[in-house]
């Protein structure tokens, strides 16, 4: 992780709101805080570091040599892991990317619309519908999946990305609807009431006032949708049975068989590879989170 | 809304339809036109590669048949298979494990291969081997490989701690415990003598059979007497308490991990119970010299504990629309020498005796040892296939072993609870 | 500041007047959601409810068996154990995780040097999600030869296989959950970002110190987000599945000590071909979660501050 430390950080660091900085600056307290944070970061990162180290070890040494000390760089795992399954691993990365992109667009559009209605509009049965929305995330997926699979197979959607993406286009991810509702409700109502007095309709209020103000929530939605879709195993396993359509988590699991030798090195190597896109998404997303404040602060 | 209604209806109908099974599969005539078969298995990346090569060989011989391989990990495999079967969308050719065979077969999900003999030949299989794939007298599955339970010993560790290897023609369970204690003591606890068992059906079957009984009776009810079961757990408890086996939490950690993380693979235990076919994997992981020994207690047993266990089976979905082609493909997997030369012992030592003889010269030393072990073993009649409803036997066994090792239940209590629970699962199915 | 005053006066003027209903606009905004609800969500949900009153083994057609599944729950000891395990998990892990997340979010929200590095470092574990690797990695920390035992060894304490000991296994999963507190932390950060600076300016002008600013500005304005995290983390914790599944290899072991409710439900449904009972279990869980959520919403009236 040393390369991380050398990353140019100021882009993010400078963007904080100036008012809340007044207390920092006493050097000793700052140093103590840093030591504490670095120790905490090390503890938290240990398993991740172990995974990176193991991806650089020959397969038979992974469980026989403990600790983080490497004898040499066994980079072959990366090449072997890349080509270990039916298609090059890049194929699975691409499949995952398509699903992730579809889900992000779906969640951004449909959830923000639904959230605006729940947060700002008065309509018949609002409380009931809101309860229904929350209710939809209270049933475990394991009992839904069989009827849902039957439904999608009737539609001929098995082995396409549609069962994974279309529900997101239709705001079925209540988590994000609720998240955005909370953010919108946290926005000063004066802003849109003022716009309404100026004659704006709901479409314009939503588009020109609410959306720009909830950029942090939208960025959060993007980050989470990315990460969760990228890691989601169960539904992708069930709906994608053709290896051509496999996504990263499904592909990663098919390295492992507990009853024989498993190519752990390859599996860890590809786990590391598949961490890269999410990590990049997170880095980009968090910058955006911070830009969000600049906008809010400027208002 | 009408469309919605149609989908609901279709969904409701499918829930009911999946079971009908039977002969909707277009008989045993091969089609001239293009046919696509779906073939599913579980395994690791090495198996996926070999299997794909075999698929390619088959497609070369039968250009009008396309075989789509669907590979999964073990857990994902069963989730996916159950869901596709429920939705009447099961793959045509299915790799089945002994634990789940009856659960799928008795409910009508699998084709009786006896109806497919036109394309599927079984002449090179022993009758006993074929019997392992029969449920209610029908051949629902064809055994792929055979395995036998064995004690794997790390002779390097024995040499390091100057312990004489036991004579597996005569050794007893007490010998195992005694030698295990010696090693634990000699190594100062760094290495334990025995990696405790009691987490898979194999160890329990062997124990029951040596005691002249069996886990299930012919009708598929639990038959093992509580006293025999309690004896099994008392022995494990002794191993742990005497230091021959590691302390309970370590035992359980290794037992629930993958093969590569086991005590045998990491050279942390000198003895461990395994299926003989796992010798190659274990040797590769440990890097030490490993040997297969017969299970202790066989010499003085009331009946032989050893038996052939099918490593896995080939089955065809009863709802397959291409049963003839599916049978043809299974025939290729089971009888074709070119296919066998690719698969070797990846799915166990081949149950097909002709194929076994043909590939043996090509095997690695450890695989040759596994074949030799199988060939020289004196086995009794194979135990009854795991009954419908008992597919969770290993999970139940593991849980009760944990209860005993952690002192949360006495062996007697665990025995009573285990029998009650397993029987309830069978009755409920 | 004059702008703020102006805005306040507008709000004052609208508060009293009855709001008109926007049914048509609402329908437009909710169209995708209604579509998803009626076309995708409701059918399978209804099917699972119906299956809850059947004996359904996934392969043969379901057979109605009345309320058998529900009466069976009364004497199902593994279910009772699963409920106990799940309640302990919810009650312990949710507050601890949220407190850690909020604390770090507050810390990282300050203009500390290297903030982006820390934020990434703390978030990285959450990126692993439910990866297969988690099972192996967690063993490297809490296994018999893991990091914790190596550290204990330094001070001469004899360790054990923490994950595989029934008395500590659940705790290691709680730690695992806390370890992945990145999601609520990011939501807190986003929430903190959204608090308009003008409120802090106003508070500063009123002479409020940092501590007072936290209580008077941050906490009330962040309360909708805290509430959101609380509600969702509780729902999430009740349904907690993947981590226990991956770490225990699907067994909920050792000795059922990590048998979460959904893990048990999954075992019944997929390992034991008992989907009728699993569906009934799912609906019991829904009732439990709904009750907790309702209490949460009721209590929210007393501490969550909305600007509307």
């Amino acid at each position: 992780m040393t390369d991380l430390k050398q990353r140019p950080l100021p882009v993010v660091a400078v963007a904080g709101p100036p008012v809340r900085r007044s207390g920092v600056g006493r050097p000793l307290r700052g140093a103590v805080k840093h030591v504490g944070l670095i120790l905490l970061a090390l503890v938290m990162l240990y398993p991740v570091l172990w995974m990176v180290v193991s991806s650089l070890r020959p397969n038979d040494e992974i469980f026989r040599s403990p600790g983080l000390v490497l004898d040499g760089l066994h980079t072959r795992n990366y090449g072997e892991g890349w080509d270990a399954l039916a298609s090059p691993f890049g194929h699975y990365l691409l499949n995952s990317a398509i699903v992730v992109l579809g889900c992000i667009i779906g969640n951004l559009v449909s959830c923000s619309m639904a959230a605006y209605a729940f947060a700002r509009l008065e309509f018949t049965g609002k409380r009931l519908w809101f309860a229904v929305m929350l209710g939809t995330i209270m049933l475990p997926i394991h009992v839904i999946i069989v009827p849902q699979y039957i439904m999608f197979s009737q539609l001929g959607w098995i082995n396409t990305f549609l069962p994974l993406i279309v529900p997101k286009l239709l705001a079925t991810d209540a988590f994000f609807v609720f998240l955005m509702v909370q953010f919108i409700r946290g926005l000063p109502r004066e802003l849109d009431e003022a716009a309404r007095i100026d004659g704006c309709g709901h479409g314009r209020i939503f588009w020109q006032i609410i959306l720009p103000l909830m950029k942090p929530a939208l960025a959060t939605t993007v980050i989470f949708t990315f990460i969760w879709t990228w890691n989601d195993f169960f539904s992708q396993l069930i709906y994608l049975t053709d290896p051509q359509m496999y996504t990263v988590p499904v592909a990663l699991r098919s390295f492992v068989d507990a009853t024989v030798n498993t190519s752990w090195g390859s599996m860890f190597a590809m786990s590391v590879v598949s961490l890269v896109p999410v990590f990049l998404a997170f880095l980009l997303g968090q910058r955006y989170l911070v830009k969000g404040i600049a906008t809010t602060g400027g208002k | 809304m009408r469309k919605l209604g149609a989908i609901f209806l279709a969904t409701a109908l499918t829930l009911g339809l999946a079971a009908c099974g039977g002969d909707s599969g277009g008989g045993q005539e091969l089609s001239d036109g293009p046919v696509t078969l779906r073939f599913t298995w579980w395994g690791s990346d090495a198996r996926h590669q070999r299997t794909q090569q075999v698929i390619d060989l088959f497609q070369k011989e039968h250009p009008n048949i396309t075989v789509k391989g669907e590979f999964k990990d073990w857990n994902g495999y069963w989730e996916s298979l159950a869901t596709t079967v429920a939705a009447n969308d099961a793959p045509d050719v299915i790799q089945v494990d002994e634990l789940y065979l009856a659960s799928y077969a008795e409910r009508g999900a699998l084709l009786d291969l006896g109806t497919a003999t036109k394309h599927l030949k079984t002449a090179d299989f022993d009758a006993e081997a074929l019997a392992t794939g029969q449920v209610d007298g029908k051949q629902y599955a064809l055994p792929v490989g055979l395995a036998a339970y064995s004690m794997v010993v790390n002779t390097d560790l024995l040499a390091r701690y100057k312990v004489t290897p036991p004579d597996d023609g005569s050794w007893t369970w007490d010998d195992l415990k005694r030698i295990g204690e010696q090693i634990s003591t000699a190594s100062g606890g760094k290495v334990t003598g025995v990696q405790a068992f009691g987490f898979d059906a194999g160890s329990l079957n062997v124990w029951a059979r040596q005691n002249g009984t069996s886990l299930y009776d012919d009708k598929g009810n639990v038959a093992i007497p509580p006293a025999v079961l309690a004896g099994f757990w008392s022995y494990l408890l002794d191993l742990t308490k005497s230091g021959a086996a590691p302390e309970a939490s370590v035992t359980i950690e290794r037992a629930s991990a993958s093969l590569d993380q086991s005590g045998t693979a990491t050279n942390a235990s000198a003895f461990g119970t395994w299926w003989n076919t796992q010798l190659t994997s274990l040797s590769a992981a440990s890097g030490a010299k490993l040997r297969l020994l017969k299970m202790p207690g066989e010499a003085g047993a009331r009946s032989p504990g050893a038996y052939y266990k099918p490593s896995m089976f080939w089955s065809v979905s009863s709802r397959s629309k291409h049963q003839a082609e599916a049978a043809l493909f299974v025939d290729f997997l089971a009888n074709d020498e070119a296919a066998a030369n690719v698969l070797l012992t990846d799915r166990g030592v081949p149950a097909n005796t002709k194929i076994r003889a043909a590939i043996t010269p090509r095997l690695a030393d450890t695989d040759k040892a596994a074949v030799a072990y199988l060939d020289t073993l004196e086995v009794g009649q194979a135990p009854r296939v795991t009954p419908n409803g008992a597919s969770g036997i290993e999970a139940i066994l593991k849980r009760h072993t944990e209860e005993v090792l952690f002192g949360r239940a006495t062996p007697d209590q665990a025995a009573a609870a285990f029998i009650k629970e397993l029987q309830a699962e069978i009755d409920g199915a | 500041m004059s702008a703020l005053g102006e805005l306040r006066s507008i709000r004052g003027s609208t508060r009293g007047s009855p709001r008109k209903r926007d049914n048509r606009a609402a329908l437009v905004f909710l169209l995708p959601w209604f579509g998803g609800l009626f076309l995708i969500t409701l059918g399978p949900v209804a099917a699972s409810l119906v299956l809850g009153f059947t004996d359904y083994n996934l392969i043969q057609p379901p057979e109605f068996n009345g309320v058998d599944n529900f009466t069976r729950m009364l004497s199902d000891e593994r279910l009772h154990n699963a409920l106990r395990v799940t309640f302990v998990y919810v009650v312990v892990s949710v507050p601890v995780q949220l407190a850690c997340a909020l604390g770090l979010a507050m810390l990282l929200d300050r203009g500390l040097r290297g903030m982006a590095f820390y934020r990434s470092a703390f978030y990285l574990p959450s990126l692993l999600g439910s990866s297969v690797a988690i099972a192996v990695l967690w063993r490297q920390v809490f296994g018999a030869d893991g990091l914790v035992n190596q550290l204990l060894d330094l001070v001469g304490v004899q360790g054990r296989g923490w994950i595989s000991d029934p008395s500590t296994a659940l705790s290691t999963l709680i730690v695992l959950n806390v370890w992945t507190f990145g999601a609520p932390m990011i939501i807190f950060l986003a929430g903190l970002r959204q608090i308009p600076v003008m409120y802090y300016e106003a508070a500063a002008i009123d002479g409020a110190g940092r501590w007072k600013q936290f209580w008077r500005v941050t906490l009330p304005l962040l309360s909708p987000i805290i509430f959101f995290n609380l509600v969702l983390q509780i729902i999430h914790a009740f349904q907690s599945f993947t981590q226990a599944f991956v770490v225990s290899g699907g067994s909920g072991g050792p000795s059922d000590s990590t048998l979460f409710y959904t893990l048990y439900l999954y075992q019944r449904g997929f390992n034991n071909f008992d989907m009728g009972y699993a569906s009934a279990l799912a609906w019991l869980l829904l009732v439990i979660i709904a009750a907790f959520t309702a209490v949460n919403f009721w209590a929210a009236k007393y501490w969550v501050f909305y600007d509307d």
Side-chain angles (χ1 to χ4, degrees):
Chain A
M1 285 292 93
T2 43
D3 56 65
L4 234 180
K5 278 185 197 154
Q6 286 148 14
R7 282 185 57 85
L9 301 171
V11 188
V12 183
V14 289
V19 189
R20 276 177 274 172
R21 286 219 191 144
S22 49
V24 190
R26 275 164 262 175
L28 187 67
R29 263 184 67 186
V32 170
K33 228 180 241 176
H34 276 292
V35 170
L37 282 170
I38 286 172
L39 278 179
L40 188 62
L42 272 180
V43 170
M44 289 199 58
L45 286 181
Y46 175 81
V48 184
L49 294 177
W50 188 88
M51 182 169 86
V52 175
V53 168
S54 295
S55 76
L56 293 167
R57 274 182 178 149
N59 213 30
D60 51 352
E61 277 179 26
I62 289 175
F63 294 110
R64 276 192 273 150
S65 42
L68 293 179
V69 185
L70 269 174
D71 294 337
L73 292 184
H74 190 80
T75 48
R76 265 175 48 199
N77 286 335
Y78 284 81
E80 284 171 5
W82 189 267
D83 292 319
L85 301 174
S87 310
F89 205 78
H91 187 84
Y92 308 119
L93 290 169
L94 186 69
N95 283 346
S96 272
I98 295 169
V99 176
V100 162
L101 196 68
C103 290
I104 287 177
I105 293 170
N107 275 343
L108 277 183
V109 174
S110 65
C111 294
S112 63
M113 285 172 67
Y116 179 77
F118 280 122
R120 284 297 202 249
L121 299 179
E122 288 302 317
F123 55 93
T124 316
K126 177 168 157 176
R127 288 167 64 98
L128 174 75
W129 291 121
F130 191 77
V132 168
M133 180 198 67
L134 275 185
T136 58
I137 50 173
M138 293 178 193
L139 262 190
I141 182 178
H142 311 102
V143 297
I144 312 277
I145 197 103
V146 171
Q148 208 170 54
Y149 182 95
I150 294 171
M151 186 176 86
F152 286 135
S153 75
Q154 297 296 329
L155 292 169
W157 286 7
I158 303 305
N159 275 323
T160 70
F161 297 137
L162 293 174
L164 304 171
I165 295 175
V166 171
K168 308 290 173 181
L169 287 169
L170 297 177
T172 49
D173 210 332
F175 178 91
F176 295 108
V177 179
F178 188 24
L179 174 76
M180 292 186 199
V181 166
Q182 293 306 92
F183 270 88
I184 294 175
R185 291 186 72 177
L187 294 174
R189 203 177 249 278
E190 292 85 353
L191 295 172
D192 45 317
E193 302 258 334
R196 194 190 292 213
I197 287 164
D198 286 347
C200 288
H202 285 298
R204 277 186 64 194
I205 295 177
F206 173 65
W207 187 252
Q208 294 187 339
I209 297 175
I210 300 294
L211 273 189
L213 282 178
M214 60 187 285
K215 268 185 197 152
L218 296 179
T220 310
T221 303
V222 172
I223 296 178
F224 286 176
T225 307
F226 196 120
I227 295 167
W228 291 344
T229 312
W230 192 261
N231 287 327
D232 172 39
F233 171 69
F234 195 65
S235 56
Q236 296 179 9
L237 167 91
I238 296 288
Y239 291 125
L240 307 174
T241 57
D242 179 354
Q244 278 294 311
M245 304 300 286
Y246 280 5
T247 51
V248 168
V250 183
L252 274 182
R253 288 216 187 191
S254 53
F255 275 99
V256 182
D257 186 337
T259 60
V260 294
N261 289 134
T262 291
S263 313
W264 293 102
S266 302
M267 201 275 277
F268 288 132
M270 289 306 105
S271 295
V272 172
V273 167
S274 68
L275 255 186
V276 171
V278 252
F279 194 55
L280 287 180
F282 170 74
L283 285 181
L284 291 175
Q286 73 155 9
R287 287 178 186 198
Y288 202 73
L289 267 183
V290 179
K291 272 189 196 148
I293 4 141
T295 339
T296 325
K299 276 265 156 17
Chain B
M1 289 314 263
R2 181 171 293 174
K3 175 113 198 226
L4 182 71
I7 293 173
F8 274 148
L9 196 65
T11 304
L13 280 177
T14 310
L15 283 172
L17 260 180
C20 300
D23 21 41
S24 63
Q28 283 302 313
E29 291 310 314
L30 290 177
S31 161
D32 296 330
V35 167
T36 301
L37 288 179
R38 287 166 58 209
F39 169 35
T40 187
W41 70 88
W42 72 85
S44 67
D45 57 326
R47 177 176 298 163
H48 308 329
Q49 287 164 5
R50 285 175 194 270
T51 311
Q52 188 57 49
Q53 286 176 40
V54 171
I55 289 174
D56 294 342
L57 287 174
F58 178 76
Q59 292 182 149
K60 217 179 273 171
E61 272 187 35
H62 303 276
N64 69 319
I65 303 177
T66 309
V67 179
K68 281 195 160 175
E70 301 176 356
F71 51 83
K72 302 272 158 72
D73 71 300
W74 169 265
N75 280 315
Y77 181 84
W78 297 107
E79 285 160 26
S80 180
L81 184 62
T83 309
T84 51
V85 169
N88 195 12
D89 189 27
D92 301 281
V93 179
I94 304 168
Q95 178 175 315
V96 181
D97 185 79
E98 196 271 333
L99 288 174
Y100 287 93
L101 175 59
S103 295
Y104 278 96
E106 286 188 19
R107 290 169 177 143
L110 304 180
L111 178 73
D112 175 5
L113 296 177
T115 65
T117 45
K118 187 172 170 193
H119 302 293
L120 176 54
K121 306 294 177 212
T122 54
D124 297 325
F125 288 75
D126 291 338
E128 299 91 67
L130 282 178
T132 60
Q134 291 166 357
V135 178
D136 295 336
K138 286 185 181 164
Q139 192 80 44
Y140 285 109
L142 189 65
V144 178
L146 292 179
Y149 216 60
S150 64
M151 184 67 72
V152 172
V153 58
N154 186 326
T155 47
D156 285 356
L157 284 179
L158 256 52
R160 186 190 306 166
Y161 299 114
K162 303 191 174 58
V163 176
T164 354
D167 166 22
D168 71 339
S170 65
W171 71 328
T172 64
W173 291 99
D174 284 335
D175 291 336
L176 174 67
K177 193 178 135 211
R178 186 176 43 78
I179 299 171
E181 283 171 42
Q182 280 177 19
I183 294 167
S184 297
T185 316
S187 73
K190 265 199 309 204
V191 171
T192 50
V194 187
Q195 171 181 277
F197 42 94
F199 305 93
D200 62 354
S203 54
L204 185 58
N205 272 324
V206 169
W207 186 274
R209 292 158 61 88
Q210 287 192 352
N211 282 282
T213 172
S214 63
L215 185 48
Y216 310 107
D217 62 19
D218 292 340
K219 294 201 193 81
N221 290 313
V222 183
I224 186 170
V228 173
L229 199 50
F232 177 70
W233 278 316
S234 299
Y235 180 77
L236 285 181
L237 208 52
D238 275 355
L239 275 186
T240 307
K241 281 187 178 155
S242 69
E247 59 139 330
S249 68
V250 176
T251 290
I252 285 158
E253 182 179 314
R254 292 189 184 145
S256 41
S258 68
L259 176 143
D260 296 295
Q261 293 157 281
S262 65
T264 308
T266 55
N267 299 324
S269 289
F271 292 90
T273 53
W274 295 92
W275 295 102
N276 67 324
T277 46
Q278 291 174 306
L279 182 68
T280 301
S281 285
L282 289 166
S283 304
S286 79
K289 198 177 263 170
L290 305 181
R291 258 182 57 203
L292 293 169
L293 300 180
K294 284 177 200 151
M295 289 295 284
E298 282 288 287
R302 293 170 60 185
S303 58
Y307 64 98
Y308 291 143
K309 182 224 177 224
S311 58
M312 57 190 76
F313 299 95
W314 301 127
S315 284
V316 174
S317 163
S318 63
R319 305 285 297 167
S320 167
K321 292 193 181 71
H322 310 289
Q323 292 177 354
E325 287 80 4
L328 191 68
F329 181 58
V330 171
D331 183 71
F332 184 81
L333 290 169
N335 295 319
D336 190 277
E337 218 170 286
N341 281 334
V342 175
L343 293 172
L344 295 176
T345 56
D346 175 72
R347 285 181 169 87
V349 176
N352 181 324
T353 47
K354 206 172 123 197
I355 292 292
R356 191 194 305 176
I359 64 164
T360 303
R362 304 171 61 103
L363 297 179
D365 286 346
T366 47
D367 276 335
K368 277 187 185 146
V371 173
Y373 179 80
L374 207 62
D375 287 341
T376 56
L377 198 62
E378 263 178 65
V379 294
Q381 195 196 352
R384 184 202 191 281
V385 64
T386 302
N388 181 9
S391 52
I393 158 86
E394 298 204 330
I396 300 174
L397 176 65
K398 175 173 183 289
R399 178 152 37 82
H400 288 289
T401 300
E402 286 162 356
E403 301 264 311
V404 170
L405 290 184
F406 283 106
R408 299 181 157 207
T410 65
D412 287 322
Q413 290 166 338
F418 172 89
I419 291 169
K420 190 173 153 223
E421 191 179 341
L422 187 58
Q423 187 60 46
E425 294 288 357
I426 294 169
D427 293 341
Chain C
M1 283 320 291
S2 61
L4 182 59
E6 205 174 294
L7 289 174
R8 286 238 163 89
S9 69
I10 292 169
R11 182 170 76 174
S13 69
T14 49
R15 230 324 107 102
S17 63
R19 257 181 220 151
K20 74 174 171 64
R21 293 196 174 268
D22 324 276
N23 278 345
R24 268 182 47 208
L27 189 64
V28 172
F29 277 96
L30 285 174
L31 204 58
W33 181 75
F34 275 123
L37 181 68
F38 287 109
L39 294 178
I40 291 182
T41 312
L42 230 42
V45 166
S48 78
L49 181 58
V50 173
L51 289 176
F53 295 93
T54 67
D55 184 1
Y56 179 41
N57 63 27
L58 285 169
I59 302 171
Q60 290 162 312
E63 280 171 28
F64 279 96
N65 64 357
V67 292
D68 283 6
N69 288 334
F70 294 91
T71 48
R72 182 176 153 195
M73 290 176 190
L74 297 174
S75 58
D76 185 347
E77 283 170 24
R78 291 192 75 205
L79 170 65
H80 304 159
N81 174 57
L83 276 168
R84 199 182 49 77
V85 169
T86 310
F87 276 120
V88 170
Y89 181 76
V90 170
V91 168
V92 179
S93 85
V94 172
V96 173
Q97 191 197 31
L98 286 186
C100 288
L102 181 58
L104 271 177
M106 299 287 302
L107 202 62
L108 296 177
D109 191 44
R110 312 210 153 271
L112 213 59
R113 198 170 295 198
M115 181 173 69
F117 165 73
Y118 292 126
R119 212 186 290 157
S120 310
F122 295 145
Y123 200 80
L124 199 54
S126 309
L127 296 178
L128 285 171
S130 55
S131 161
V132 249
I134 286 277
V136 181
L137 298 186
W138 215 235
R139 215 167 279 245
Q140 296 310 314
V141 180
F142 286 106
D145 307 316
L147 182 69
V148 169
N149 279 356
Q150 286 169 26
L151 294 178
L152 285 178
D153 207 35
L154 290 181
V155 291
V157 177
Q158 169 78 36
R160 54 179 150 179
W162 302 91
I163 295 176
S164 312
D165 190 318
S167 55
T168 52
L170 184 59
S171 310
T172 65
L173 281 182
I174 291 173
V175 175
L176 177 57
N177 186 48
V178 173
W179 184 59
T180 54
F181 61 63
M185 179 185 85
I186 287 292
I187 295 172
F188 280 135
L189 271 175
L192 289 171
R193 287 313 184 202
Q194 217 186 15
I195 298 174
V197 177
M198 56 189 178
Y199 288 162
Y200 288 98
E201 287 167 354
I205 286 167
D206 289 349
R210 235 171 61 193
W211 192 238
K212 231 174 183 174
Q213 285 184 19
F214 173 74
W215 282 106
R216 290 256 199 88
V217 181
T218 311
L219 219 47
L221 287 180
L222 199 60
S223 62
I225 304 304
I226 299 175
F227 174 62
F228 168 83
N229 270 332
L230 187 67
V231 170
L232 262 301
Q233 290 303 322
I234 287 179
I235 295 178
H236 192 71
F238 267 114
Q239 298 191 353
S240 188
F241 174 79
T242 316
Q243 292 174 337
F245 181 85
V246 171
V247 170
S248 73
S251 73
S255 205
D256 274 355
S257 58
T258 62
L259 186 73
F260 288 142
Y261 194 97
T262 44
L263 190 50
Y264 180 55
L265 176 159
Y266 166 91
Q267 288 182 0
R268 293 308 322 167
F270 285 99
N271 296 352
N272 298 84
F273 301 91
D274 204 359
M275 196 47 98
Y277 187 53
S279 301
L281 287 176
W283 279 84
L284 174 64
L285 182 65
L286 179 124
V287 170
I288 295 171
I289 296 178
F292 267 74
T293 309
V295 169
N296 243 325
F297 270 85
W298 171 79
K301 283 189 288 198
Y302 299 99
W303 66 276
V304 180
F305 170 84
Y306 291 110
D307 200 3
D308 54 9

